[in-house]
Amino acid sequence: MSSDTAALVRAHVSGDRTAVETAEESIAAAEAHAELGAFLSIDRERALERAAALGDALASGTEPGPLHGVPIAFKANMCREGVETNCGSKILAGYRAPYTATAVQRMLTAGCVPIGTTNMDEFAMGSSGENSAYFPARNPWAHERIPGGSSSGSAAAVAAGIVPLALGSDTGGSVRQPAALCGISGFKPTYGRVSRYGLVAFGSSLDQISPLARSAQDLELAMLVLSGSDPLDSTCLDLGPVQPEPEGSLAGLKLGVPREAFADGLDEGVRIRLEEAIAQLCELGAERVDVSLPHARLAVPTYYVVATAEASSNLARYDGVRYGPRVDGDGTLDGMISATREAGFGAEVKRRILLGTYVLSSGYYEAWYGRAQRVRAKILADYRTAFEACDLLVGPTSPTPAFRLGERSEDPVAMYLSDVLTAPVSLAGLPAVSVPAGFVEDAGETLPVGMQITGPALSDARVLSTARAWQAATDHHLARPGTFAERAEA
Ligand code: GLN
């Protein structure tokens, strides 16, 4: 069992170390790993000020929060008052949020110290981090490879040991997939468990703020703080926070293995690791049940209709009037809007706005958007049927380990297929965690493999306690980038 954050909080509260020392170390680590491109900005002054204030409050007898002095990194699409929230896009360059997102505020109130804003695919559109308008982030396990996306910087920062905890957002897999490729744990809650107030919208019916950490236990601690109703977000469920289950046990758990998750296109090394992991889960007391999700193969096209439709509407607000830089163009209002959007959005964002506008246009709406909504309902129905035969589903998170920078950037469809195992869960709104399940060797490099555990709606606590039980019995999540190379040298 391991909790980086609980150990830190204990050390701060007992006086073994101060929150300022921890913040200093975290910032030094971020600077030492600058080549990872994990951060769009590091907030040294604010972080140290905040850490000092936490120390003062503790000294004057204020009850410490559950995450007292824990350094955290926020993805650049979460508003924090006064801090640049550019979503990895040029169209929001220099935009400082006038208010703070609910999820961010809850982490701050619990005592977290934000050390910076993390790199991401522009507007969270991507699976590799290469769509960042600034620079791509890199995988701490293999620097010529992608860390996954779109929460690339948050995953790289946790994997490199810069912060023990980070927030990302997951619309079609953007927290689970980078967690898998970076060898850490990432959890997408049931849609509506975490407030989206202050999260810059991409696909509103899919987006969920989601934590990344090195252990399931830390994800549980984060969820306890993050989740719960919020009057500022009408899609946030009127439920209390996700309470960690007292004991995670695998005994008697019926684990469904969807046939489709092991279909063609799955990397052989990933398949072998997952088969081993499932066998081990059974040795630990779980029972394997083979199930089928017949419509899962339609999830990627369905996701790319629904998500782009919602994105085209959500991104209409970036018109050069209300946010960010403005390009005057020919001096007319229309000319200014076109010139601003032409200069401000990157190629992938434009592609999605075009696609989304098309699928919503009159005459095509029923054929594309309407049909995608009907397939989405069938995907959800498949999960309902599967969960009649099992408690949770288990399979790979990503069909391949981390690929090389540039390998898929010229081929959008190859990039979209990275989401084949995570998108169905998002369309169904279900909770799912990705946890480390071992490593594969590729071209002389050791790369992490992730296992996705998915549960029925609102089974967040069960999904996380199962991940905790897996980590209590295994040590994949304890491996750090570099350890294998070091071992080889030893
Ligand atoms: N990779 C997917 C996409 O490009 C998912 C992104 C996300 O979850 N934000 O849309």
Side-chain angles (χ1 to χ4, degrees), residues 142-156:
H143 287 192
E144 294 312 311
R145 298 193 186 234
I146 57 102
S150 63
S151 306
S152 329
S154 290

Side-chain angles (χ1 to χ4, degrees), residues 2-24:
S2 64
S3 170
D4 295 343
T5 62
L8 263 182
V9 172
R10 271 196 306 275
H12 293 150
V13 173
S14 70
D16 278 356
R17 56 156 59 230
T18 66
V20 171
E21 284 166 351
T22 302
E24 291 270 19

Side-chain angles (χ1 to χ4, degrees), residues 311-369:
S312 70
S313 163
N314 278 326
L315 271 57
R317 72 191 68 174
Y318 304 108
D319 55 6
V321 176
R322 286 168 284 193
Y323 309 88
R326 171 181 306 170
V327 180
D328 288 335
D330 65 10
T332 65
L333 179 62
D334 281 354
M336 181 281 288
I337 294 174
S338 306
T340 299
R341 287 166 71 87
E342 164 61 29
F345 287 137
E348 181 61 24
V349 174
K350 287 178 186 153
R351 184 179 296 125
R352 296 201 190 192
I353 291 172
L354 287 174
L355 196 58
T357 308
Y358 174 75
V359 301
L360 289 178
S361 55
S362 107
Y364 295 102
Y365 178 93
E366 211 12 71
W368 292 102
Y369 187 73

